């Protein structure tokens, strides 16, 4: 898919009836990306800027980028999580620069982008995205995934004004990072099904153009996986082509988030499971990347959603007093319980929009959506071909039924968004096997 054409398409009124807005006005994924980036900086009339990298990305990209653009380079600690503490450190480093920057360049992976995005938003300064790995779809989104006081939160934040990505950099990133990007993209099967089911059950708005865009991203990724065969993981043109397609898919998916104004097109039950596992205050810290968790969660959801089609046959009973009972949530969410209760306020809860007869009236529509999900074996084979992790054990999480049961029942409370999993939990359909 031609990203420039997509950018152009959505500047016009959309067939969903909305006029979508985009902050990102240029995307370049290609050799020597620093050259068009330099031209872009000059075109916008910027003088003083700064490249922000971390200890991992400075030597592989940040130093060369800063030198070629004659900009100062700030280096954050390696693998820093996006927390309020690291953002405060960056604000101080920025304040100490001799010239106040007019723009920032985020030179790194997902967390570094969130740190720069959050800081850019705080300071009201535009930023460029220069991703160093095809690892997540958040580069061009306007949402900062942060860990504040131990809780994973998503803040409305700032999108980059443009993205420049050089395959000489991101195609040489560790294979694990690219595999994580694949997991984030293949997870779209679940969140798109969630979005369509939410529309069937509550009439929630869907933009068909964004829905098509996300499905096209998956199709193109699957096509490149099928055509690259065994060459996908070994150095060579097929590998570079594959990583470029993953990067393109991630950028397009991020643009869909930006165009929709929230992450609905790119995040559903599979992301809620990932957020739940990442809540370090209630779970042990796990050595897993975002897309690894999302990919594994998607495989689990795929299995479960297909089974759940069988028992989709009773009216909806919304019982907030039982769903959000403190004594139910507290043993799992512990000191985060108040945050979770705030997220799920009974009156504004996404479940409150489901009419009692809706599941019966729309049963066939929901079953059709579930039947359109890919076969588990197909998704598993694609993930394995790309070197993705596919089991909970591989990311140091328990593989027993009790853990799975706890995850599926409680993860939907991590966000107010309506997913099929949240519906199943509210209907008390989730049982330990
Ligand atoms: Zn639209
Ligand atoms: Zn994601």
């Amino acid at each position: 898919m031609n990203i420039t054409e997509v950018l152009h398409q959505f500047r016009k009124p959309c067939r969903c009836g909305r006029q979508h807005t985009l902050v990102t006005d240029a995307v370049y994924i290609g050799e020597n990306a620093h050259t068009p980036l330099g031209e872009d900086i000059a075109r916008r009339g910027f003088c003083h800027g700064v490249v922000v990298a971390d200890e991992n990305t400075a030597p592989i990209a940040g130093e060369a980028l800063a030198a070629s653009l004659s900009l100062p380079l700030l280096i954050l600690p390696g693998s820093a999580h996006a927390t309020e503490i690291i953002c405060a450190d960056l604000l101080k480093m920025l304040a100490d620069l001799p010239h106040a920057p007019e723009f920032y360049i985020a030179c790194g992976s997902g967390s570094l982008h969130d740190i720069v995005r959050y800081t850019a938003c705080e300071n009201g300064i535009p930023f460029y995205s220069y991703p160093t790995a095809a690892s997540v779809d958040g580069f061009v989104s306007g949402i900062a995934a942060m860990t504040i006081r131990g809780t994973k939160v998503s803040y409305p934040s700032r999108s980059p004004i443009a993205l420049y990505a050089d395959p000489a950099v991101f195609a040489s990133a560790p294979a694990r990072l690219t595999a994580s990007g694949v997991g984030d993209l293949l997870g779209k099967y679940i969140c798109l099904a969630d979005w369509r089911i939410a529309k069937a059950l509550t009439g929630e708005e869907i933009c068909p153009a964004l829905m098509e865009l996300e499905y096209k991203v998956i199709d193109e990724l699957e096509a490149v996986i099928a055509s690259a065969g065994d060459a996908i993981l070994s150095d060579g043109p097929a590998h570079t082509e594959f990583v470029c397609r993953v990067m393109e898919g991630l950028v397009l998916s991020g643009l869909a988030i930006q165009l929709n104004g929230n992450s609905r097109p790119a995040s559903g039950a599979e992301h809620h499971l990932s957020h739940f596992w990442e809540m370090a205050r209630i779970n042990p810290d796990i050595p897993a990347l975002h897309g690894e968790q999302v990919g594994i969660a998607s495989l689990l959801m795929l299995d479960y959603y297909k089974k759940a089609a069988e028992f989709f046959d009773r009216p909806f009973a919304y019982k907030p007093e039982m769903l959000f009972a403190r004594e139910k949530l507290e043993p799992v969410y512990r000191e985060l319980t108040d945050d979770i209760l705030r997220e799920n306020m009974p009156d504004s809860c996404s479940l409150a929009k489901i009419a009692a007869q809706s599941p019966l009236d729309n049963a066939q529509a929901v079953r059709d959506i579930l039947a359109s999900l890919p076969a588990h074996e197909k998704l598993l084979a694609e993930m394995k071909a790309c070197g993705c992790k596919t089991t909970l054990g591989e990311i140091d999480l328990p593989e027993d039924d009790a853990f799975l049961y706890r995850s599926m029942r409680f993860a939907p409370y991590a966000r107010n968004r309506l997913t099929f999993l949240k519906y199943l939990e509210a209907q008390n359909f989730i049982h330990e096997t």
Side-chain angles (χ1 to χ4, degrees):
M1 238 180 307
N2 183 319
I3 300 184
T4 305
E5 265 171 36
V6 172
L7 291 175
H8 191 68
Q9 173 197 342
F10 283 99
R11 275 196 203 102
K12 292 182 262 176
C14 182
R15 64 190 140 109
C16 71
R18 285 164 65 192
Q19 172 67 64
H20 298 284
T21 50
L22 263 181
V23 170
T24 308
D25 62 14
V27 169
Y28 176 91
I29 302 173
E31 298 297 329
N32 299 315
H34 63 274
T35 307
L37 171 53
E39 289 160 6
D40 183 313
I41 292 167
R43 189 170 63 242
R44 292 179 209 257
F46 291 141
C47 286
H48 299 294
V50 62
V51 176
V52 184
D54 64 29
E55 284 164 354
N56 299 323
T57 62
I60 56 159
E63 285 162 9
L65 185 65
S68 69
L69 300 173
S70 306
L71 292 173
L73 171 67
L74 297 180
I75 302 175
L76 299 175
S79 313
H81 287 298
T83 63
E84 69 276 31
I85 299 155
I86 194 88
C87 290
D89 290 347
L90 177 57
L91 280 169
K92 185 161 180 326
M93 291 160 93
L94 288 164
D96 288 344
L97 286 170
H99 296 286
E102 297 158 288
F103 65 92
Y104 310 149
I105 301 176
C107 172
S109 188
S111 292
L112 185 112
H113 271 71
D114 285 326
I115 297 165
V116 173
R117 181 191 319 281
Y118 184 85
T119 309
C121 191
E122 289 278 292
N123 280 351
I125 299 283
F127 80 99
Y128 289 95
S129 163
Y130 189 90
T132 53
S135 54
V136 281
D137 69 359
F139 299 123
V140 292
S141 89
I143 297 162
M146 307 285 295
T147 305
I148 304 288
R149 293 184 301 279
T151 308
K152 276 301 264 197
V153 283
S154 306
Y155 281 125
S157 185
R158 184 167 279 245
S159 303
I161 50 175
L163 175 141
Y164 291 85
D166 195 329
V169 174
F170 69 77
S172 340
R176 187 182 167 195
L177 295 176
T178 311
S180 175
V182 170
D184 208 12
L185 285 181
L186 291 178
K188 305 307 171 217
Y189 272 124
I190 301 300
C191 66
L192 295 175
D194 279 332
W195 198 11
R196 289 160 66 197
I197 291 171
K199 177 185 163 65
L201 290 179
T202 68
E204 181 180 325
E205 297 253 349
I206 277 186
C207 167
L210 291 178
M211 178 75 68
E212 269 170 32
L213 178 69
E214 288 281 15
Y215 275 119
K216 230 167 160 186
V217 162
I218 306 177
D219 286 350
E220 292 197 354
L221 175 63
E222 290 184 323
V224 78
I225 294 171
S227 70
D230 292 343
I232 211 162
L233 296 180
S234 29
D235 281 345
H239 175 72
T240 306
E241 168 72 12
F242 158 66
V243 188
C244 283
R245 281 291 98 73
V246 177
M247 179 61 91
E248 270 174 29
L250 293 167
V251 171
L252 285 164
S253 180
L255 287 173
I257 298 173
Q258 197 184 133
L259 287 159
N260 205 52
N262 59 44
S263 62
R264 183 47 128 166
S267 165
E270 77 299 334
H271 273 72
H272 297 171
L273 282 168
S274 159
H275 297 324
F276 181 71
W277 295 333
E278 274 185 335
M279 288 183 175
R281 296 265 287 275
I282 56 171
N283 288 310
D285 217 355
I286 48 170
L289 301 170
H290 169 77
E292 290 173 340
Q293 299 172 40
V294 169
I296 293 165
S298 301
L299 285 172
L300 293 170
M301 284 300 92
L302 198 55
D303 261 353
Y304 193 70
Y305 276 16
K306 283 183 180 272
K307 277 188 219 144
E310 290 163 27
F311 43 78
F312 187 79
D313 60 356
R314 74 161 104 112
F316 185 62
Y318 179 50
K319 298 189 187 114
E321 64 288 352
M322 286 171 71
L323 283 173
F324 316 127
R326 181 174 284 277
E327 55 276 24
K328 168 181 143 184
L329 296 173
E330 206 148 43
V332 174
Y333 277 104
R334 303 208 293 264
E335 65 261 48
L336 304 181
T337 305
D338 285 332
D339 291 343
I340 294 299
L341 287 171
R342 256 193 304 280
E343 179 72 23
N344 294 275
M345 299 286 270
D347 291 342
S348 53
C349 178
S350 55
L351 289 164
K353 300 193 179 84
I354 305 178
Q357 288 304 306
S358 182
L360 300 178
D361 294 346
N362 300 295
Q364 196 50 46
V366 174
R367 289 204 181 99
D368 290 347
I369 295 164
L370 296 171
S372 75
L373 285 166
H376 183 269
E377 306 74 55
K378 176 174 181 269
L379 201 67
L380 181 65
E382 286 170 348
M383 287 176 64
K384 287 201 159 156
C386 298
C388 300
K389 298 187 177 178
T390 56
T391 63
L392 288 169
E394 285 171 274
I395 55 169
D396 283 6
L397 284 171
E399 296 204 284
D400 54 283
D401 284 344
F403 179 76
L404 196 56
Y405 172 70
R406 190 175 102 116
S407 299
M408 294 207 302
R409 277 207 69 198
F410 289 94
Y413 298 100
R415 294 287 185 278
N416 184 21
R417 177 166 295 160
L418 182 59
T419 65
F420 189 48
L421 190 65
K422 191 157 189 148
Y423 165 83
L424 295 170
E425 153 62 10
Q427 288 282 67
N428 204 14
F429 279 134
I430 303 176
H431 297 288
E432 199 168 356
T433 48

